[in-house]
Amino acid sequence: MSTLTGACPECETDVTTPPITKGETLGCPECLLTLRVEDVHDGRLEFQMVEVQLRDWGQ
C-alpha cells in the first residue's frame, strides 16, 4: 500500500497518510491542528490549516 507525505504548516512535523484526496481533512499527530489537503503532487501533500471554532460552553 502506498502512502503520501507532507509537512504540517504549523509545527513542520512530517505527516504520512494512506492515499488521501484534495479537500479531505486530518489531524497533525504532533500539534493536533486540523489540516486540509490543498494539493497532492508526486506523492507529496500540501496542507492548509483549518480554522476550528471551539465551542463556548459559558465557563
Side-chain angles (χ1 to χ4, degrees), residues 12-54:
E12 299 182 1
T13 296
D14 283 334
V15 178
T16 302
T17 70
I20 192 170
T21 59
K22 184 177 177 177
E24 289 191 66
T25 59
L26 65 144
C28 173
E30 186 66 31
C31 70
L32 306 178
L33 192 69
T34 301
L35 306 172
R36 182 178 56 238
V37 178
E38 288 295 304
D39 197 16
V40 182
H41 184 71
D42 292 334
R44 281 297 290 176
L45 295 166
E46 184 177 315
F47 294 118
Q48 180 70 36
M49 292 182 278
V50 176
E51 289 284 335
V52 177
Q53 294 291 332
L54 298 177

mmCIF file of all heavy atoms in Angstrom, residues 12-54:
data_model
loop_
_atom_site.group_PDB
_atom_site.id
_atom_site.type_symbol
_atom_site.label_atom_id
_atom_site.label_comp_id
_atom_site.label_asym_id
_atom_site.label_seq_id
_atom_site.Cartn_x
_atom_site.Cartn_y
_atom_site.Cartn_z
ATOM 1 N N GLU A 12 5.716 21.782 11.364
ATOM 2 C CA GLU A 12 6.642 21.192 10.391
ATOM 3 C C GLU A 12 6.905 19.709 10.608
ATOM 4 O O GLU A 12 7.868 19.159 10.092
ATOM 5 C CB GLU A 12 7.943 21.982 10.337
ATOM 6 C CG GLU A 12 7.715 23.416 9.910
ATOM 7 C CD GLU A 12 8.987 24.221 9.786
ATOM 8 O OE1 GLU A 12 10.080 23.679 10.017
ATOM 9 O OE2 GLU A 12 8.883 25.420 9.458
ATOM 10 N N THR A 13 6.032 19.037 11.368
ATOM 11 C CA THR A 13 6.133 17.586 11.546
ATOM 12 C C THR A 13 5.762 16.900 10.242
ATOM 13 O O THR A 13 4.810 17.307 9.578
ATOM 14 C CB THR A 13 5.173 17.125 12.662
ATOM 15 O OG1 THR A 13 5.595 17.699 13.888
ATOM 16 C CG2 THR A 13 5.137 15.619 12.802
ATOM 17 N N ASP A 14 6.503 15.859 9.872
ATOM 18 C CA ASP A 14 6.135 15.070 8.703
ATOM 19 C C ASP A 14 4.878 14.274 9.017
ATOM 20 O O ASP A 14 4.792 13.620 10.059
ATOM 21 C CB ASP A 14 7.260 14.110 8.313
ATOM 22 C CG ASP A 14 8.395 14.822 7.589
ATOM 23 O OD1 ASP A 14 8.135 15.876 6.969
ATOM 24 O OD2 ASP A 14 9.524 14.329 7.646
ATOM 25 N N VAL A 15 3.898 14.358 8.127
ATOM 26 C CA VAL A 15 2.641 13.645 8.281
ATOM 27 C C VAL A 15 2.554 12.642 7.141
ATOM 28 O O VAL A 15 2.649 13.008 5.972
ATOM 29 C CB VAL A 15 1.442 14.617 8.223
ATOM 30 C CG1 VAL A 15 0.127 13.869 8.345
ATOM 31 C CG2 VAL A 15 1.566 15.684 9.306
ATOM 32 N N THR A 16 2.404 11.360 7.468
ATOM 33 C CA THR A 16 2.284 10.294 6.472
ATOM 34 C C THR A 16 0.886 9.708 6.556
ATOM 35 O O THR A 16 0.410 9.402 7.654
ATOM 36 C CB THR A 16 3.338 9.198 6.720
ATOM 37 O OG1 THR A 16 4.637 9.795 6.674
ATOM 38 C CG2 THR A 16 3.267 8.112 5.679
ATOM 39 N N THR A 17 0.238 9.576 5.414
ATOM 40 C CA THR A 17 -1.128 9.066 5.386
ATOM 41 C C THR A 17 -1.276 7.996 4.313
ATOM 42 O O THR A 17 -0.490 7.947 3.370
ATOM 43 C CB THR A 17 -2.148 10.184 5.056
ATOM 44 O OG1 THR A 17 -1.984 10.571 3.700
ATOM 45 C CG2 THR A 17 -1.982 11.376 5.959
ATOM 46 N N PRO A 18 -2.308 7.171 4.437
ATOM 47 C CA PRO A 18 -2.692 6.337 3.293
ATOM 48 C C PRO A 18 -3.178 7.268 2.183
ATOM 49 O O PRO A 18 -3.330 8.473 2.426
ATOM 50 C CB PRO A 18 -3.846 5.488 3.829
ATOM 51 C CG PRO A 18 -3.961 5.771 5.273
ATOM 52 C CD PRO A 18 -3.124 6.964 5.602
ATOM 53 N N PRO A 19 -3.424 6.760 1.001
ATOM 54 C CA PRO A 19 -3.889 7.639 -0.072
ATOM 55 C C PRO A 19 -5.072 8.502 0.380
ATOM 56 O O PRO A 19 -6.005 8.013 1.007
ATOM 57 C CB PRO A 19 -4.294 6.667 -1.175
ATOM 58 C CG PRO A 19 -3.394 5.491 -0.950
ATOM 59 C CD PRO A 19 -3.252 5.389 0.541
ATOM 60 N N ILE A 20 -4.993 9.781 0.092
ATOM 61 C CA ILE A 20 -5.980 10.762 0.519
ATOM 62 C C ILE A 20 -6.141 11.743 -0.626
ATOM 63 O O ILE A 20 -5.237 11.902 -1.441
ATOM 64 C CB ILE A 20 -5.490 11.447 1.829
ATOM 65 C CG1 ILE A 20 -6.585 12.271 2.485
ATOM 66 C CG2 ILE A 20 -4.245 12.242 1.611
ATOM 67 C CD1 ILE A 20 -6.209 12.766 3.891
ATOM 68 N N THR A 21 -7.291 12.375 -0.722
ATOM 69 C CA THR A 21 -7.540 13.264 -1.855
ATOM 70 C C THR A 21 -7.712 14.709 -1.408
ATOM 71 O O THR A 21 -7.954 14.984 -0.234
ATOM 72 C CB THR A 21 -8.800 12.837 -2.635
ATOM 73 O OG1 THR A 21 -9.909 12.858 -1.746
ATOM 74 C CG2 THR A 21 -8.639 11.452 -3.224
ATOM 75 N N LYS A 22 -7.606 15.607 -2.363
ATOM 76 C CA LYS A 22 -7.758 17.040 -2.117
ATOM 77 C C LYS A 22 -9.094 17.313 -1.436
ATOM 78 O O LYS A 22 -10.117 16.749 -1.810
ATOM 79 C CB LYS A 22 -7.666 17.789 -3.446
ATOM 80 C CG LYS A 22 -7.712 19.280 -3.311
ATOM 81 C CD LYS A 22 -7.531 19.939 -4.658
ATOM 82 C CE LYS A 22 -7.649 21.442 -4.530
ATOM 83 N NZ LYS A 22 -7.408 22.108 -5.803
ATOM 84 N N GLY A 23 -9.051 18.152 -0.407
ATOM 85 C CA GLY A 23 -10.263 18.517 0.310
ATOM 86 C C GLY A 23 -10.507 17.722 1.574
ATOM 87 O O GLY A 23 -11.290 18.130 2.417
ATOM 88 N N GLU A 24 -9.853 16.578 1.720
ATOM 89 C CA GLU A 24 -10.013 15.783 2.940
ATOM 90 C C GLU A 24 -9.245 16.436 4.084
ATOM 91 O O GLU A 24 -8.299 17.180 3.863
ATOM 92 C CB GLU A 24 -9.517 14.349 2.726
ATOM 93 C CG GLU A 24 -10.419 13.539 1.813
ATOM 94 C CD GLU A 24 -10.059 12.069 1.817
ATOM 95 O OE1 GLU A 24 -10.218 11.419 2.867
ATOM 96 O OE2 GLU A 24 -9.604 11.586 0.763
ATOM 97 N N THR A 25 -9.669 16.142 5.307
ATOM 98 C CA THR A 25 -9.005 16.715 6.474
ATOM 99 C C THR A 25 -8.446 15.615 7.362
ATOM 100 O O THR A 25 -8.917 14.480 7.343
ATOM 101 C CB THR A 25 -9.972 17.589 7.308
ATOM 102 O OG1 THR A 25 -11.071 16.791 7.728
ATOM 103 C CG2 THR A 25 -10.459 18.778 6.521
ATOM 104 N N LEU A 26 -7.436 15.976 8.136
ATOM 105 C CA LEU A 26 -6.846 15.070 9.105
ATOM 106 C C LEU A 26 -6.192 15.906 10.186
ATOM 107 O O LEU A 26 -6.039 17.109 10.040
ATOM 108 C CB LEU A 26 -5.819 14.135 8.447
ATOM 109 C CG LEU A 26 -4.564 14.778 7.875
ATOM 110 C CD1 LEU A 26 -3.382 13.854 8.079
ATOM 111 C CD2 LEU A 26 -4.750 15.051 6.399
ATOM 112 N N GLY A 27 -5.822 15.261 11.264
ATOM 113 C CA GLY A 27 -5.172 15.962 12.365
ATOM 114 C C GLY A 27 -3.681 15.706 12.370
ATOM 115 O O GLY A 27 -3.230 14.593 12.114
ATOM 116 N N CYS A 28 -2.916 16.740 12.677
ATOM 117 C CA CYS A 28 -1.469 16.582 12.834
ATOM 118 C C CYS A 28 -1.225 15.755 14.085
ATOM 119 O O CYS A 28 -1.767 16.065 15.149
ATOM 120 C CB CYS A 28 -0.802 17.943 12.962
ATOM 121 S SG CYS A 28 0.957 17.822 13.346
ATOM 122 N N PRO A 29 -0.397 14.710 13.982
ATOM 123 C CA PRO A 29 -0.141 13.868 15.160
ATOM 124 C C PRO A 29 0.670 14.568 16.249
ATOM 125 O O PRO A 29 0.663 14.150 17.394
ATOM 126 C CB PRO A 29 0.636 12.678 14.581
ATOM 127 C CG PRO A 29 1.252 13.193 13.329
ATOM 128 C CD PRO A 29 0.307 14.237 12.804
ATOM 129 N N GLU A 30 1.349 15.656 15.905
ATOM 130 C CA GLU A 30 2.197 16.356 16.871
ATOM 131 C C GLU A 30 1.461 17.506 17.564
ATOM 132 O O GLU A 30 1.339 17.538 18.776
ATOM 133 C CB GLU A 30 3.463 16.872 16.169
ATOM 134 C CG GLU A 30 4.479 17.488 17.085
ATOM 135 C CD GLU A 30 5.103 16.495 18.061
ATOM 136 O OE1 GLU A 30 5.226 15.301 17.716
ATOM 137 O OE2 GLU A 30 5.459 16.913 19.168
ATOM 138 N N CYS A 31 0.948 18.465 16.774
ATOM 139 C CA CYS A 31 0.325 19.647 17.378
ATOM 140 C C CYS A 31 -1.206 19.578 17.389
ATOM 141 O O CYS A 31 -1.861 20.480 17.894
ATOM 142 C CB CYS A 31 0.795 20.922 16.672
ATOM 143 S SG CYS A 31 0.168 21.108 14.980
ATOM 144 N N LEU A 32 -1.759 18.520 16.797
ATOM 145 C CA LEU A 32 -3.203 18.253 16.780
ATOM 146 C C LEU A 32 -4.013 19.277 15.975
ATOM 147 O O LEU A 32 -5.236 19.305 16.067
ATOM 148 C CB LEU A 32 -3.761 18.140 18.204
ATOM 149 C CG LEU A 32 -3.048 17.114 19.091
ATOM 150 C CD1 LEU A 32 -3.654 17.116 20.479
ATOM 151 C CD2 LEU A 32 -3.085 15.733 18.474
ATOM 152 N N LEU A 33 -3.338 20.076 15.176
ATOM 153 C CA LEU A 33 -4.019 21.031 14.320
ATOM 154 C C LEU A 33 -4.799 20.270 13.251
ATOM 155 O O LEU A 33 -4.353 19.229 12.773
ATOM 156 C CB LEU A 33 -2.971 21.919 13.645
ATOM 157 C CG LEU A 33 -3.463 23.157 12.926
ATOM 158 C CD1 LEU A 33 -3.983 24.178 13.955
ATOM 159 C CD2 LEU A 33 -2.334 23.771 12.141
ATOM 160 N N THR A 34 -5.964 20.778 12.872
ATOM 161 C CA THR A 34 -6.724 20.183 11.774
ATOM 162 C C THR A 34 -6.169 20.716 10.464
ATOM 163 O O THR A 34 -6.029 21.926 10.281
ATOM 164 C CB THR A 34 -8.218 20.518 11.899
ATOM 165 O OG1 THR A 34 -8.697 20.014 13.145
ATOM 166 C CG2 THR A 34 -9.020 19.881 10.767
ATOM 167 N N LEU A 35 -5.840 19.794 9.560
ATOM 168 C CA LEU A 35 -5.243 20.145 8.277
ATOM 169 C C LEU A 35 -6.149 19.699 7.139
ATOM 170 O O LEU A 35 -6.733 18.618 7.201
ATOM 171 C CB LEU A 35 -3.880 19.452 8.119
ATOM 172 C CG LEU A 35 -2.874 19.682 9.233
ATOM 173 C CD1 LEU A 35 -1.670 18.780 9.034
ATOM 174 C CD2 LEU A 35 -2.454 21.135 9.283
ATOM 175 N N ARG A 36 -6.253 20.520 6.111
ATOM 176 C CA ARG A 36 -6.998 20.152 4.909
ATOM 177 C C ARG A 36 -5.999 19.973 3.773
ATOM 178 O O ARG A 36 -5.087 20.782 3.604
ATOM 179 C CB ARG A 36 -8.014 21.233 4.548
ATOM 180 C CG ARG A 36 -8.857 20.869 3.322
ATOM 181 C CD ARG A 36 -9.910 21.907 2.982
ATOM 182 N NE ARG A 36 -9.302 23.213 2.795
ATOM 183 C CZ ARG A 36 -9.637 24.297 3.499
ATOM 184 N NH1 ARG A 36 -10.555 24.257 4.421
ATOM 185 N NH2 ARG A 36 -9.027 25.441 3.269
ATOM 186 N N VAL A 37 -6.173 18.923 2.991
ATOM 187 C CA VAL A 37 -5.307 18.674 1.842
ATOM 188 C C VAL A 37 -5.672 19.662 0.741
ATOM 189 O O VAL A 37 -6.796 19.683 0.252
ATOM 190 C CB VAL A 37 -5.463 17.219 1.339
ATOM 191 C CG1 VAL A 37 -4.598 16.986 0.106
ATOM 192 C CG2 VAL A 37 -5.109 16.227 2.435
ATOM 193 N N GLU A 38 -4.708 20.515 0.390
ATOM 194 C CA GLU A 38 -4.926 21.508 -0.661
ATOM 195 C C GLU A 38 -4.475 20.988 -2.020
ATOM 196 O O GLU A 38 -5.008 21.390 -3.040
ATOM 197 C CB GLU A 38 -4.167 22.802 -0.337
ATOM 198 C CG GLU A 38 -4.794 23.580 0.797
ATOM 199 C CD GLU A 38 -6.181 24.090 0.451
ATOM 200 O OE1 GLU A 38 -6.333 24.804 -0.549
ATOM 201 O OE2 GLU A 38 -7.117 23.750 1.196
ATOM 202 N N ASP A 39 -3.465 20.109 -2.016
ATOM 203 C CA ASP A 39 -2.957 19.592 -3.280
ATOM 204 C C ASP A 39 -2.189 18.305 -3.012
ATOM 205 O O ASP A 39 -1.639 18.110 -1.929
ATOM 206 C CB ASP A 39 -2.027 20.613 -3.939
ATOM 207 C CG ASP A 39 -1.791 20.322 -5.418
ATOM 208 O OD1 ASP A 39 -2.560 19.533 -6.009
ATOM 209 O OD2 ASP A 39 -0.841 20.884 -5.983
ATOM 210 N N VAL A 40 -2.200 17.407 -3.982
ATOM 211 C CA VAL A 40 -1.401 16.187 -3.934
ATOM 212 C C VAL A 40 -0.597 16.160 -5.227
ATOM 213 O O VAL A 40 -1.164 16.193 -6.319
ATOM 214 C CB VAL A 40 -2.293 14.925 -3.855
ATOM 215 C CG1 VAL A 40 -1.432 13.674 -3.766
ATOM 216 C CG2 VAL A 40 -3.251 15.000 -2.677
ATOM 217 N N HIS A 41 0.734 16.153 -5.101
ATOM 218 C CA HIS A 41 1.585 16.202 -6.287
ATOM 219 C C HIS A 41 2.781 15.282 -6.099
ATOM 220 O O HIS A 41 3.583 15.488 -5.188
ATOM 221 C CB HIS A 41 2.050 17.648 -6.539
ATOM 222 C CG HIS A 41 2.843 17.815 -7.786
ATOM 223 N ND1 HIS A 41 2.273 17.723 -9.034
ATOM 224 C CD2 HIS A 41 4.158 18.041 -7.980
ATOM 225 C CE1 HIS A 41 3.219 17.900 -9.943
ATOM 226 N NE2 HIS A 41 4.376 18.087 -9.329
ATOM 227 N N ASP A 42 2.885 14.269 -6.933
ATOM 228 C CA ASP A 42 4.002 13.312 -6.885
ATOM 229 C C ASP A 42 4.197 12.715 -5.494
ATOM 230 O O ASP A 42 5.323 12.608 -5.001
ATOM 231 C CB ASP A 42 5.311 13.964 -7.348
ATOM 232 C CG ASP A 42 5.280 14.303 -8.839
ATOM 233 O OD1 ASP A 42 4.543 13.636 -9.583
ATOM 234 O OD2 ASP A 42 6.005 15.225 -9.243
ATOM 235 N N GLY A 43 3.098 12.347 -4.850
ATOM 236 C CA GLY A 43 3.191 11.709 -3.542
ATOM 237 C C GLY A 43 3.414 12.658 -2.386
ATOM 238 O O GLY A 43 3.558 12.228 -1.246
ATOM 239 N N ARG A 44 3.450 13.974 -2.657
ATOM 240 C CA ARG A 44 3.615 14.979 -1.593
ATOM 241 C C ARG A 44 2.289 15.681 -1.371
ATOM 242 O O ARG A 44 1.625 16.094 -2.323
ATOM 243 C CB ARG A 44 4.650 16.044 -1.974
ATOM 244 C CG ARG A 44 6.088 15.655 -1.822
ATOM 245 C CD ARG A 44 6.538 15.352 -0.430
ATOM 246 N NE ARG A 44 6.620 16.510 0.457
ATOM 247 C CZ ARG A 44 6.927 16.423 1.735
ATOM 248 N NH1 ARG A 44 7.157 15.250 2.283
ATOM 249 N NH2 ARG A 44 6.988 17.489 2.490
ATOM 250 N N LEU A 45 1.952 15.832 -0.114
ATOM 251 C CA LEU A 45 0.727 16.530 0.262
ATOM 252 C C LEU A 45 1.036 17.979 0.592
ATOM 253 O O LEU A 45 2.057 18.271 1.206
ATOM 254 C CB LEU A 45 0.110 15.873 1.498
ATOM 255 C CG LEU A 45 -0.389 14.448 1.320
ATOM 256 C CD1 LEU A 45 -0.654 13.827 2.676
ATOM 257 C CD2 LEU A 45 -1.629 14.426 0.460
ATOM 258 N N GLU A 46 0.159 18.859 0.193
ATOM 259 C CA GLU A 46 0.259 20.261 0.592
ATOM 260 C C GLU A 46 -0.944 20.545 1.477
ATOM 261 O O GLU A 46 -2.090 20.353 1.065
ATOM 262 C CB GLU A 46 0.241 21.171 -0.634
ATOM 263 C CG GLU A 46 0.427 22.620 -0.282
ATOM 264 C CD GLU A 46 0.485 23.501 -1.512
ATOM 265 O OE1 GLU A 46 1.180 23.130 -2.479
ATOM 266 O OE2 GLU A 46 -0.174 24.549 -1.491
ATOM 267 N N PHE A 47 -0.678 20.966 2.719
ATOM 268 C CA PHE A 47 -1.733 21.183 3.694
ATOM 269 C C PHE A 47 -2.032 22.654 3.899
ATOM 270 O O PHE A 47 -1.162 23.505 3.761
ATOM 271 C CB PHE A 47 -1.326 20.614 5.068
ATOM 272 C CG PHE A 47 -1.179 19.119 5.085
ATOM 273 C CD1 PHE A 47 0.048 18.548 5.376
ATOM 274 C CD2 PHE A 47 -2.253 18.292 4.845
ATOM 275 C CE1 PHE A 47 0.198 17.175 5.424
ATOM 276 C CE2 PHE A 47 -2.114 16.919 4.885
ATOM 277 C CZ PHE A 47 -0.889 16.357 5.178
ATOM 278 N N GLN A 48 -3.272 22.917 4.282
ATOM 279 C CA GLN A 48 -3.703 24.241 4.714
ATOM 280 C C GLN A 48 -4.305 24.067 6.104
ATOM 281 O O GLN A 48 -5.033 23.112 6.347
ATOM 282 C CB GLN A 48 -4.759 24.781 3.743
ATOM 283 C CG GLN A 48 -5.279 26.145 4.088
ATOM 284 C CD GLN A 48 -4.239 27.237 3.861
ATOM 285 O OE1 GLN A 48 -3.458 27.179 2.941
ATOM 286 N NE2 GLN A 48 -4.233 28.207 4.731
ATOM 287 N N MET A 49 -3.987 24.971 7.019
ATOM 288 C CA MET A 49 -4.583 24.906 8.354
ATOM 289 C C MET A 49 -6.069 25.218 8.260
ATOM 290 O O MET A 49 -6.480 26.068 7.477
ATOM 291 C CB MET A 49 -3.918 25.914 9.290
ATOM 292 C CG MET A 49 -2.491 25.574 9.604
ATOM 293 S SD MET A 49 -1.781 26.753 10.763
ATOM 294 C CE MET A 49 -1.343 28.090 9.660
ATOM 295 N N VAL A 50 -6.867 24.522 9.050
ATOM 296 C CA VAL A 50 -8.301 24.750 9.077
ATOM 297 C C VAL A 50 -8.638 25.465 10.375
ATOM 298 O O VAL A 50 -8.243 25.032 11.459
ATOM 299 C CB VAL A 50 -9.075 23.409 9.000
ATOM 300 C CG1 VAL A 50 -10.564 23.644 9.123
ATOM 301 C CG2 VAL A 50 -8.756 22.691 7.702
ATOM 302 N N GLU A 51 -9.361 26.571 10.262
ATOM 303 C CA GLU A 51 -9.808 27.287 11.457
ATOM 304 C C GLU A 51 -10.889 26.448 12.130
ATOM 305 O O GLU A 51 -11.887 26.109 11.503
ATOM 306 C CB GLU A 51 -10.399 28.645 11.071
ATOM 307 C CG GLU A 51 -9.373 29.638 10.605
ATOM 308 C CD GLU A 51 -8.570 30.240 11.751
ATOM 309 O OE1 GLU A 51 -9.075 30.276 12.881
ATOM 310 O OE2 GLU A 51 -7.438 30.666 11.506
ATOM 311 N N VAL A 52 -10.671 26.120 13.366
ATOM 312 C CA VAL A 52 -11.658 25.333 14.101
ATOM 313 C C VAL A 52 -12.279 26.226 15.158
ATOM 314 O O VAL A 52 -11.579 26.796 15.992
ATOM 315 C CB VAL A 52 -10.990 24.097 14.760
ATOM 316 C CG1 VAL A 52 -12.003 23.333 15.592
ATOM 317 C CG2 VAL A 52 -10.378 23.208 13.694
ATOM 318 N N GLN A 53 -13.578 26.356 15.096
ATOM 319 C CA GLN A 53 -14.298 27.145 16.080
ATOM 320 C C GLN A 53 -14.530 26.277 17.310
ATOM 321 O O GLN A 53 -15.209 25.251 17.219
ATOM 322 C CB GLN A 53 -15.653 27.613 15.515
ATOM 323 C CG GLN A 53 -15.519 28.595 14.368
ATOM 324 C CD GLN A 53 -14.973 29.942 14.819
ATOM 325 O OE1 GLN A 53 -15.165 30.352 15.962
ATOM 326 N NE2 GLN A 53 -14.291 30.619 13.921
ATOM 327 N N LEU A 54 -13.963 26.660 18.426
ATOM 328 C CA LEU A 54 -14.172 25.918 19.650
ATOM 329 C C LEU A 54 -15.486 26.379 20.284
ATOM 330 O O LEU A 54 -15.814 27.560 20.258
ATOM 331 C CB LEU A 54 -13.015 26.152 20.633
ATOM 332 C CG LEU A 54 -11.645 25.688 20.134
ATOM 333 C CD1 LEU A 54 -10.583 26.032 21.168
ATOM 334 C CD2 LEU A 54 -11.645 24.193 19.863
#
